[in-house]
Amino acid sequence: MFSSYGENTPRDLGIDFVTTFDWEPPALVPPQSLTAILPILSVSLHKTQDLLEPFLHPLEHIREVVIVCPDAIASDVRRMLQKTFASLGSADHPDVSLRPWQGHLNTSAATLRAAIDQTTEWALIMDDTGLTDVLQSSRAALLHPPVATLPFGPNGVFLSNDSDSSEASFLWDRAQPAQYLFPPFVIPSYLVSSVRGERIDDNPWINLGRQIAKNRPDAVGGVIVLPDSNIVPLPSSNPKDRAESSPNLQDALPDWETNSRTKGHGNDSFTGSSSVCVSARFIFLLPTREDLRHLMPLICGMKSRDNHTHIRTLVYDEGYDKPGQLDWETEFLESYHCDVKYEVLTGRTPLAFARNGSTVLSQWLDESSGLVDVVFTLHELDHLVSFLVSEQKDKLFHGATVIRIPRLDLENTEWMASLKLEEWKNWHRPRIDISIITNDRPQSLTRLMNSLASARYFGDQPTLRVNVEQDCDADTLRIAENIAWPLGRLFIHHRVVHGGLLAAVVESWYPQDNDSYGLLLEDDVELSPLYYAWIKMTLLRYRYGVASDRTPNLFGISLYQQKHLELPMEGRQPFNPRSMFAEAGLSHPITPYLSPVPCSWGAIYFPEHWREFHDYLAVRLAETTLTIENEVVPDVRSNHWSKSWKKFFIELVYLRGYVMLYPNYEDFVSLSTNHLEVGSHVKLRSPEKQDLFLLPLMQLHRPEENSKLLDLPNHTLPPLDALPVLNLTGYITSLEALVEQGTSRRSNLIGCDSPTELYNIRSLMCISVTVAPGLFR
């Protein structure tokens, strides 16, 4: 039903880069590095399938299609998407997500805001006609774009000395400078980010072009690619003027040593490396040589993992006292990990960015051509760090991600060597909200707070919320009222009506947006000092990594290692995943794994799934489609946990086919443990019973000791499709089998076989929006 343009690259369509542009064909953007932004309006709603047609087949470069639409038609768009996908024979196409907008925004402003928020390195920005009015050669170039440092496309306003430049639309053939472009066009994401915080509601494409142009000496805001000068007149009739004002498209390409991102091939499906390696540029700016020594495991790990990673290091506050202006000299540092070449600033003149410090840094950077992807420095403020956190930073590091790590944390950064470039670039996206649930256990709360205070946070500022029950004892309430949390915002919530454990947990956190993650901690939990590193490492891989490592079926990340299976009807069973995986013949028994069992002893929950759980619980407790006595999940002990939130979460997980990521370290070394204090679910605490659940916590590693976090297959988190999947009772299965099992159960329970919308409980439970609650009882 859908035609395919998968092979229609510019070269396939006969576009001769050498003779047409007078430059060698550039390398294309890396696979999965492009997000397409497509607005759908009420007037184009009936064309949804046609608008999506170019994207409904395998595409090498596009990772995701983000559809923006007015909130008023969001439900209609969802239905059209559902209809479109139902007609496809497979799901082998880029991810498609829906982003409704509210309020006063116009279509262009909403589209640009979506482009600002996306996370890939490039964006394809379209209007509500998509690519339907674009010729095939132009479409091919937009879907298979070259690496470029300016936005480019067929539509825009020429850069001209004349004041009456007019809009024009052209075929691809020759580059001409533009004041600004109109969709469709491809743009590097760091250029889109340049208008973040600016007023973009009025004339967003003009404002974007002006913002780009003001940072360039040639005042070019984009590149229009034209067909033939005989077809369309150029802004100036003077060939000399044309030559001076027309940048060859090659000038828009980054000046890498390799001319672009570099390709390479991996062999091990457990390495986590994609078949295309991205050539990344890292700058380490460190005050002292001692700081560099602490970072040697990280830098050496990065060098050993990827030959395409380029690293330069400057020690800027510990140079020689030499007369004259600032300069630098090369030194080498040897360690048991590797040898690292670095430079040290020398001279008596202090590094001051109001005078020549910025110039010296520019000269140092000029020795390594190319754009910088990541700047790594210390969290502690000095002249250089103050510069890096200011807007002036973009003069030297335009588009770079600046990561600041406290000096205290440097010795425990080796785990970062496992991150891919896309994960580094998304370092600041996830935000952690820590939510503590406490009642009548002052010693437990104190122990938990001590473990939180002893952890390493690597420059992040998580929010802390302490939820205190209505009838809490005076000692616990006093401790809660006197908690200090210097890392981020602190909230103390004291209930005025007793809620019980179900309400206390479920209402303890609600996500602000889809980059907000809830760490739910009951007060009898204790944390490893490296718990946050595990959270950060896994979130960056499985929520912000390449598309193949992300799935909507993943609902959270456990800090606790399962040592027993709680759900088999015959009772609690000992469980050792390493032994199970070895017996099953898995090549890497030490791998983390996926399980539908939600963890209540220290775990991160994802925003979309927690919102859906709130909706599910409201429908379930209201008995809208099922009575409270209905057993949703067959043959599990949780059916008897009538006062536990986990009973209902397990129901949702079962119907949806959701899973949680679990660690699998040697000897059950864990990122959290449970002390099994007496409370709502524990009436008797014996030493024998406590030993069943108490686990050893992963500690900070000693000097010259490898990071225990990287005790993983090939010292990195495996690709998503290499993770073993278990069912609720601990047997090996697959994600597909879990989804099929839930779909079948839904059909048997509710008598409904209609397709479901993602994270939509009314869709899952087959509740019509026009039907009053309770009608299905």
Side-chain angles (χ1 to χ4, degrees):
M1 186 168 91
F2 298 104
S3 59
S4 172
Y5 301 92
E7 300 303 319
N8 291 338
T9 64
R11 185 171 299 170
D12 296 329
L13 294 169
I15 298 177
D16 187 346
F17 286 102
V18 177
T19 58
T20 304
F21 296 131
D22 194 27
W23 45 275
E24 291 297 322
L28 303 182
V29 300
Q32 303 293 293
S33 65
L34 182 66
T35 295
I37 313 293
L38 173 65
I40 293 181
L41 308 178
S42 56
V43 296
S44 60
L45 182 62
H46 67 287
K47 300 179 181 178
T48 298
Q49 188 165 299
D50 293 334
L51 294 172
L52 283 173
E53 183 182 24
F55 307 99
L56 297 179
H57 57 84
L59 288 171
E60 179 182 5
H61 304 288
I62 294 183
R63 186 177 92 176
E64 183 179 12
V65 179
V66 176
I67 295 176
V68 295
C69 70
D71 186 64
I73 66 168
S75 59
D76 295 324
V77 174
R78 287 192 184 96
R79 281 192 290 271
M80 290 297 296
L81 293 177
Q82 192 175 54
K83 177 182 177 182
T84 298
F85 295 137
S87 66
L88 292 176
S90 70
D92 194 9
H93 55 74
D95 291 346
V96 178
S97 61
L98 182 62
R99 176 180 167 134
W101 84 76
Q102 298 177 335
H104 65 282
L105 285 183
N106 58 48
T107 305
S108 297
T111 303
L112 184 53
R113 288 186 185 275
I116 291 172
D117 292 340
Q118 62 86 26
T119 61
T120 55
E121 291 182 83
W122 280 271
L124 165 57
I125 297 177
M126 295 170 281
D127 60 18
D128 63 316
T129 64
L131 300 180
T132 56
D133 296 336
V134 178
L135 293 183
Q136 191 170 349
S137 57
S138 298
R139 181 185 299 191
L142 292 166
L143 294 176
H144 306 273
V147 175
T149 56
L150 277 173
F152 57 90
N155 306 330
V157 173
F158 286 125
L159 183 66
S160 170
N161 294 329
D162 303 329
S163 60
D164 58 346
S165 297
S166 58
E167 179 183 347
S169 179
F170 307 107
L171 302 176
W172 286 73
D173 199 336
R174 188 172 54 190
Q176 288 293 318
Q179 297 179 45
Y180 49 88
L181 301 181
F182 294 100
F185 59 84
V186 171
I187 183 171
S189 295
Y190 68 83
L191 291 182
V192 184
S193 299
S194 66
V195 296
R196 187 186 296 274
E198 303 286 337
R199 292 183 58 87
I200 63 173
D201 294 358
D202 299 324
N203 302 314
W205 309 130
I206 297 175
N207 292 332
L208 176 62
R210 289 173 177 171
Q211 185 70 25
I212 294 169
K214 79 177 186 179
N215 293 319
R216 293 180 57 91
D218 54 13
V220 173
V223 174
I224 300 173
V225 185
L226 318 179
D228 191 305
S229 61
N230 294 324
I231 299 176
V232 179
L234 295 172
S236 171
S237 60
N238 188 323
K240 182 176 183 294
D241 293 340
R242 288 205 303 267
E244 291 176 352
S245 65
S246 302
N248 189 294
L249 192 56
Q250 180 64 40
D251 296 334
L253 300 176
D255 186 22
W256 294 103
E257 293 173 4
T258 57
N259 193 35
S260 69
R261 305 298 188 182
T262 312
K263 294 186 177 182
H265 299 276
N267 299 316
D268 191 338
S269 65
F270 257 92
T271 62
S273 300
S274 66
S275 60
V276 176
C277 298
V278 177
S279 179
R281 300 268 169 174
F282 287 79
I283 295 292
F284 285 79
L285 300 173
L286 305 170
T288 70
R289 294 177 180 86
E290 188 63 21
D291 297 326
L292 176 57
R293 289 189 187 93
H294 291 323
L295 282 175
M296 288 291 280
L298 168 59
I299 295 174
C300 293
M302 294 171 66
K303 291 176 61 177
S304 66
R305 288 172 187 276
D306 188 354
N307 293 329
H308 301 291
T309 297
H310 301 271
I311 299 174
R312 285 197 72 196
T313 303
L314 179 68
V315 173
Y316 61 84
D317 201 25
E318 201 177 57
Y320 303 112
D321 188 12
K322 295 175 64 176
Q325 298 298 312
L326 282 176
D327 200 353
W328 60 87
E329 293 186 0
T330 300
E331 296 182 357
F332 291 86
L333 182 60
E334 299 179 2
S335 77
Y336 71 99
H337 292 92
C338 70
D339 297 339
V340 170
K341 173 186 174 182
Y342 64 100
E343 281 89 32
V344 180
L345 280 188
T346 63
R348 292 176 180 172
T349 307
L351 187 64
F353 286 87
R355 299 192 300 274
N356 66 332
S358 179
T359 302
V360 171
L361 198 55
S362 298
Q363 294 170 349
W364 179 77
L365 289 169
D366 286 343
E367 288 199 352
S368 57
S369 60
L371 298 175
V372 175
D373 291 298
V374 178
V375 178
F376 190 107
T377 190
L378 294 195
H379 192 270
E380 289 76 10
L381 287 175
D382 57 21
H383 288 302
L384 187 144
V385 177
S386 297
F387 167 77
L388 290 177
V389 300
S390 71
E391 293 183 358
Q392 293 180 320
K393 176 265 297 183
D394 284 343
K395 295 178 181 178
L396 293 181
F397 301 108
H398 194 61
T401 300
V402 177
I403 296 174
R404 299 165 54 206
I405 304 296
R407 181 172 273 121
L408 183 65
D409 298 349
L410 294 182
E411 288 185 292
N412 290 277
T413 56
E414 185 181 2
W415 62 271
M416 298 179 194
S418 68
L419 299 180
K420 302 174 186 177
L421 177 59
E422 189 161 9
E423 296 156 17
W424 281 105
K425 296 292 287 183
N426 284 305
W427 178 270
H428 299 294
R429 286 288 302 279
R431 300 186 313 278
I432 309 301
D433 300 325
I434 303 170
S435 186
I436 295 174
I437 302 99
T438 186
N439 185 34
D440 291 345
R441 296 195 290 217
Q443 292 180 336
S444 299
L445 178 59
T446 300
R447 180 182 57 219
L448 173 57
M449 285 306 307
N450 287 339
S451 69
L452 281 166
S454 300
R456 299 291 187 261
Y457 294 93
F458 306 98
D460 282 2
Q461 298 176 319
T463 296
L464 177 63
R465 180 184 176 96
V466 182
N467 302 275
V468 185
E469 185 56 276
Q470 174 261 339
D471 53 356
C472 176
D473 68 286
D475 288 341
T476 302
L477 184 58
R478 176 181 50 80
I479 293 170
E481 291 172 342
N482 287 280
I483 286 175
W485 186 247
L487 289 175
R489 294 181 299 166
L490 171 66
F491 301 93
I492 308 297
H493 181 178
H494 182 210
R495 298 186 70 97
V496 296
V497 176
H498 184 81
L501 189 57
L502 188 151
V505 173
V506 175
E507 297 175 7
S508 68
W509 173 72
Y510 196 79
Q512 179 180 352
D513 53 40
N514 285 345
D515 292 315
S516 171
Y517 299 87
L519 173 59
L520 306 187
L521 301 171
E522 296 185 34
D523 55 13
D524 57 351
V525 168
E526 185 180 5
L527 299 171
S528 156
L530 290 172
Y531 88 89
Y532 196 86
W534 166 255
I535 291 174
K536 190 86 171 184
M537 181 173 69
T538 51
L539 279 180
L540 290 174
R541 175 62 48 88
Y542 298 120
R543 286 283 289 186
Y544 298 94
V546 297
S548 59
D549 284 336
R550 295 180 285 117
T551 175
N553 295 80
L554 186 64
F555 71 79
I557 296 165
S558 174
L559 310 183
Y560 186 84
Q561 288 210 189
Q562 290 188 98
K563 195 176 180 181
H564 295 87
L565 300 172
E566 297 291 321
L567 296 180
M569 291 299 293
E570 56 269 28
R572 184 180 296 118
Q573 305 290 316
F575 176 65
N576 188 324
R578 289 195 170 204
S579 299
M580 170 190 278
F581 297 155
E583 292 172 4
L586 272 65
S587 58
H588 294 275
I590 65 174
T591 176
Y593 61 93
L594 302 173
S595 167
V597 179
C599 176
S600 58
W601 293 338
I604 282 283
Y605 285 84
F606 293 173
E608 303 93 336
H609 306 81
W610 195 254
R611 285 193 210 98
E612 185 181 22
F613 176 50
H614 268 234
D615 294 341
Y616 177 79
L617 200 56
V619 168
R620 190 74 171 91
L621 296 179
E623 301 184 278
T624 304
T625 56
L626 299 170
T627 67
I628 205 69
E629 291 80 17
N630 279 121
E631 287 192 357
V632 174
V633 185
D635 303 324
V636 290
R637 293 175 66 215
S638 57
N639 289 326
H640 305 294
W641 302 347
S642 59
K643 296 182 180 180
S644 173
W645 66 273
K646 288 177 65 175
K647 162 186 164 66
F648 299 102
F649 202 99
I650 289 169
E651 291 179 356
L652 174 62
V653 161
Y654 188 85
L655 292 174
R656 282 294 199 187
Y658 288 160
V659 288
M660 172 172 265
L661 179 75
Y662 276 83
N664 184 20
Y665 290 106
E666 188 175 11
D667 297 328
F668 294 97
V669 170
S670 187
L671 288 310
S672 70
T673 191
N674 180 270
H675 288 270
L676 206 70
E677 308 281 8
V678 173
S680 297
H681 297 314
V682 179
K683 305 305 179 185
L684 178 64
R685 180 197 187 201
S686 65
E688 294 78 16
K689 193 171 183 179
Q690 187 182 18
D691 287 342
L692 292 176
F693 301 98
L694 193 63
L695 299 179
L697 292 173
M698 185 178 292
Q699 299 300 314
L700 301 174
H701 61 266
R702 296 184 294 272
E704 300 191 3
E705 181 180 63
N706 293 329
S707 173
K708 290 183 172 61
L709 280 168
L710 296 182
D711 288 347
L712 300 165
N714 296 299
H715 309 294
T716 188
L717 288 167
L720 181 70
D721 60 8
L723 295 172
V725 181
L726 307 182
N727 65 13
L728 284 170
T729 52
Y731 290 94
I732 295 177
T733 182
S734 67
L735 279 178
E736 293 76 15
L738 292 179
V739 172
E740 183 178 348
Q741 172 184 260
T743 301
S744 174
R745 183 60 176 165
R746 170 177 176 259
S747 176
N748 293 335
L749 272 176
I750 307 174
C752 179
D753 296 313
S754 61
T756 64
E757 295 181 29
L758 205 58
Y759 315 127
N760 186 318
I761 284 301
R762 288 187 171 273
S763 170
L764 177 69
M765 306 301 286
C766 296
I767 304 172
S768 170
V769 294
T770 61
V771 175
L775 188 61
F776 288 109
R777 290 184 187 177

